[in-house]
Amino acid sequence: MEGDQKVNSTSPAPAAEPAMMIEEWNGTSSTKLTKTATITSTSHSSISIQRSSNAFTHISQRILQAFVPEGYPTSVTPDYFPFQVWDSLQGLSTYVRMMLSTQALLSAIGVGEKSATVIGATFQWFLRDLTGMLGGVLFTCYQGSNLDSKAKMWRLVADLMNDLGMLMDLVSPLFPSAFVFIVCIGSLSRSFTGVASGATRAALTQHFALENNAADIAAKEGSQETLATMIGMALGMLLARLTIGHSFAIWISFLSLTMFHMYANYKAVCCLSLNTLNCERCSIVLSHFLKTGQVLSPKQVSSMEHVLPLLVTSWNLKGGDSLYKQVRLGVRVSSLDSLAMVDLLQSAGSHYKKEKYLLQQKGGIIRIITHKDSAGADILQSFIHALVMAKLDDRDGSMSSESQSWMDKHYEVFILKLQSSGWKTERLLSSSVVWRANWLVDYSDGKHD
C-alpha cells in the first residue's frame, strides 16, 4: 500500500485542456461578413461570450437585406446601384403625379356630384380599360421582338408614354364632351408603358445578375418599388390636398415633376453599360476595331450609343455610328428584283458551303438573306460581314472578295477580343428574322447540297 501511494504521489499532473474560441459571423456573402460575437471556452464549464456588434447594426442590416440583392455589391454589375437610384427617383415622381391625375380623372367621371350615375361611370371606366388591354396586345404584336435589342430606348419611350397617359387624365376635365376619347388615349398610352417597361425590366434584370440571381434581383426591385410607391403616394396626397381648387398650382406641380421624371429616366438609362450586342453597338465596336485594331468595352460604348427615340437622335448624333442603317437583316428573297436574284444565285453557288447566309448589295444597302438552319452565331456573323462590306464601300458584287478576305483573316480574332472585353457573342439582339431561305446547288456529277 505504501509503495502504491508513493507512485501516485510522484505521477505527472494531467495536461490542461486548450482554450477554444468560436467566432460568429453574419452576412449574405462570403465577401461581405460582419463578426457579431466571439465565444471562448476557458475551462470545462466556463464560457465567455463577447458581442462585436450592437442590436441596431444587426437590425439595420436585416432591413437593408429586404432592398438589396444577396451578396451585393459583388452579385450585381457595377451599373446596378446608379441605375436603381435614378429609377427610384423617377418612380417617386410618378406616384406623386399619379395622385394629381387620378384626382382630376375621378372629378371628370363625376365622383362627388349628385347628377353622376353609377352605370355611367362604370361604362366609362370599362371603355378606358378595354382600350388599354387591346392596345397592349397590339403593341406586343408589332414591337415585342424589338424590346430586347433596344432596351434603353424603349425604357425611355415607356415612361414618356406614361407621362402622356397622365397628361390625358389631367386634361380630361377640361373637355367634357370628349372625355371618353381623351381617357381612352391615356389608357392606350399606359398600355404601351406596361408592356415596354415590363419587358425591358426583365432584360435589365438578366443583365444585372452576375450569379444567376435574377429572381432575387427582381424581388428586391419589387421591395424598392413598393417603398417608392408608399412615399410617393403620401407626398402625392399632401400635394393634392395643398393644391385642391388651384388649377395653376396643379399644372405647375405636374409639369415640374414631369420634367424631373424625364430627366431621371434619361440619367438612369445612361448609367447602363449593356454587354449584349445589338445592331448599333455592334456597328460602333466594329468601326473602332477597323480603325485601331482594339475593341471598346461595354462602358465605353454606352456613352456613344443613342438612347433617345430615333426622331430625337437624328438631331443629336452624339458621336454614334450609323453604319448599321445600311444593313437589312432577314430580307425576303422574292422581294428582290431579277438582277439581284441572278447575283444572289451566283453567290450561293460559290459560298453556300462555308456560310449560312448570303449578302447582296445594291445602292449602298447590304441585304442579308439567312439560311433556314442558321443559328444565333450565324446571324451575328452575317451582320458583321455586312458591316465590313458597308465600311469598305464595296461595289464589286454581292460577296466582295475584299470583305470576304477580311472575314477570313480577322473575324475569329475580333470575336475573341469581344469576349475578352466582356461582350456576349452568342447572338445578335435584333428584330426577329422571319424570312429565311434554303439554297441547293446541282453539280454536273449529280451531287446535291
Side-chain angles (χ1 to χ4, degrees):
M1 291 293 293
E2 293 179 358
D4 294 340
Q5 292 176 355
K6 186 175 183 181
V7 172
N8 291 336
S9 63
T10 59
S11 61
E17 294 182 1
M20 294 295 296
M21 182 178 66
I22 299 178
E23 294 179 343
E24 180 185 74
W25 294 76
N26 177 261
T28 57
S29 172
S30 60
T31 59
K32 197 173 182 65
L33 295 173
T34 302
K35 187 167 72 171
T36 57
T38 302
I39 304 172
T40 306
S41 173
T42 56
S43 65
H44 182 69
S45 59
S46 177
I47 295 177
S48 172
I49 301 177
Q50 182 179 1
R51 302 290 180 182
S52 302
S53 62
N54 54 39
F56 175 78
T57 303
H58 180 69
I59 293 174
S60 64
Q61 289 178 346
R62 296 294 295 177
I63 294 175
L64 186 63
Q65 289 173 10
F67 296 97
V68 297
E70 183 177 343
Y72 174 85
T74 57
S75 62
V76 293
T77 55
D79 54 357
Y80 174 80
F81 178 75
F83 175 82
Q84 290 301 121
V85 170
W86 286 110
D87 190 55
S88 298
L89 289 175
Q90 67 86 16
L92 186 67
S93 67
T94 295
Y95 295 115
V96 174
R97 290 178 303 141
M98 188 178 294
M99 298 303 295
L100 297 177
S101 61
T102 302
Q103 183 184 51
L105 181 62
L106 293 176
S107 174
I109 289 177
V111 175
E113 296 183 5
K114 295 182 180 180
S115 59
T117 62
V118 175
I119 189 64
T122 302
F123 181 70
Q124 291 172 346
W125 206 270
F126 167 75
L127 286 179
R128 173 179 176 269
D129 289 348
L130 179 63
T131 304
M133 294 175 187
L134 293 176
V137 173
L138 291 175
F139 179 77
T140 303
C141 290
Y142 284 98
Q143 293 294 339
S145 61
N146 291 328
L147 298 177
D148 269 331
S149 61
K150 299 178 181 178
K152 289 186 178 184
M153 188 195 76
W154 283 115
R155 186 77 181 176
L156 274 181
V157 170
D159 287 296
L160 290 175
M161 297 302 288
N162 192 38
D163 293 339
L164 178 61
M166 289 187 180
L167 180 63
M168 292 297 101
D169 289 346
L170 199 62
V171 167
S172 59
L174 303 179
F175 303 94
S177 60
F179 169 75
V180 174
F181 176 76
I182 292 174
V183 296
C184 286
I185 294 296
S187 180
L188 191 65
S189 299
R190 276 190 296 273
S191 70
F192 297 163
T193 301
V195 175
S197 179
T200 55
R201 185 70 219 189
L204 295 181
T205 300
Q206 293 293 335
H207 161 71
F208 291 137
L210 291 180
E211 298 179 356
N212 295 323
N213 55 341
D216 183 37
I217 293 176
K220 301 307 167 57
E221 160 69 15
S223 297
Q224 297 168 18
E225 187 173 352
T226 299
L227 180 62
T229 301
M230 293 189 295
I231 297 174
M233 290 178 68
L235 294 176
M237 291 177 65
L238 178 61
L239 182 61
R241 180 74 177 176
L242 294 175
T243 59
I244 187 170
H246 300 84
S247 299
F248 182 75
I250 292 175
W251 277 100
I252 289 296
S253 301
F254 180 84
L255 293 177
S256 299
L257 288 168
T258 299
M259 293 298 294
F260 174 76
H261 176 254
M262 295 169 63
Y263 174 76
N265 268 296
Y266 179 75
K267 294 293 290 184
V269 297
C270 286
C271 292
L272 294 171
S273 300
L274 302 181
N275 59 354
T276 51
L277 289 169
N278 65 3
C279 294
E280 184 180 8
R281 289 193 285 271
C282 189
S283 178
I284 293 172
V285 173
L286 180 64
S287 295
H288 187 267
F289 181 78
L290 290 173
K291 293 178 182 177
T292 65
Q294 302 298 320
V295 170
L296 296 170
S297 67
K299 187 174 183 179
Q300 291 173 311
V301 173
S302 68
S303 62
M304 302 171 65
E305 65 176 322
H306 301 142
V307 296
L308 296 174
L310 296 178
L311 292 178
V312 180
T313 54
S314 62
W315 300 337
N316 181 22
L317 295 178
K318 203 178 71 173
D321 193 290
S322 60
L323 192 65
Y324 67 98
K325 295 180 181 179
Q326 298 176 236
V327 179
R328 302 290 183 268
L329 180 61
V331 174
R332 186 179 181 181
V333 176
S334 60
S335 66
L336 302 176
D337 56 39
S338 57
L339 292 178
M341 285 187 182
V342 171
D343 187 28
L344 194 67
L345 290 172
Q346 291 176 353
S347 64
S350 56
H351 296 282
Y352 78 99
K353 284 184 177 180
K354 197 173 181 182
E355 319 293 357
K356 290 187 177 180
Y357 61 88
L358 299 172
L359 301 183
Q360 195 275 331
Q361 183 184 31
K362 184 178 180 181
I365 301 298
I366 314 298
R367 297 172 178 84
I368 303 175
I369 294 88
T370 58
H371 194 273
K372 70 181 186 68
D373 297 328
S374 59
D378 299 315
I379 292 177
L380 175 62
Q381 181 180 349
S382 69
F383 191 79
I384 292 175
H385 194 162
L387 290 176
V388 172
M389 184 178 288
K391 189 70 174 179
L392 297 176
D393 197 24
D394 295 325
R395 304 294 179 184
D396 300 330
S398 61
M399 292 290 286
S400 167
S401 58
E402 190 175 355
S403 62
Q404 185 64 53
S405 175
W406 188 95
M407 291 293 292
D408 294 338
K409 294 179 181 178
H410 304 290
Y411 178 72
E412 291 185 2
V413 176
F414 178 58
I415 293 297
L416 289 175
K417 287 191 174 184
L418 283 174
Q419 295 171 349
S420 62
S421 298
W423 292 99
K424 293 182 178 179
T425 59
E426 295 84 6
R427 61 184 288 247
L428 175 73
L429 293 182
S430 64
S431 302
S432 297
V433 179
V434 297
W435 293 108
R436 297 176 181 248
N438 184 36
W439 40 95
L440 304 172
V441 179
D442 187 4
Y443 288 103
S444 57
D445 57 4
K447 294 182 180 181
H448 294 269
D449 287 306

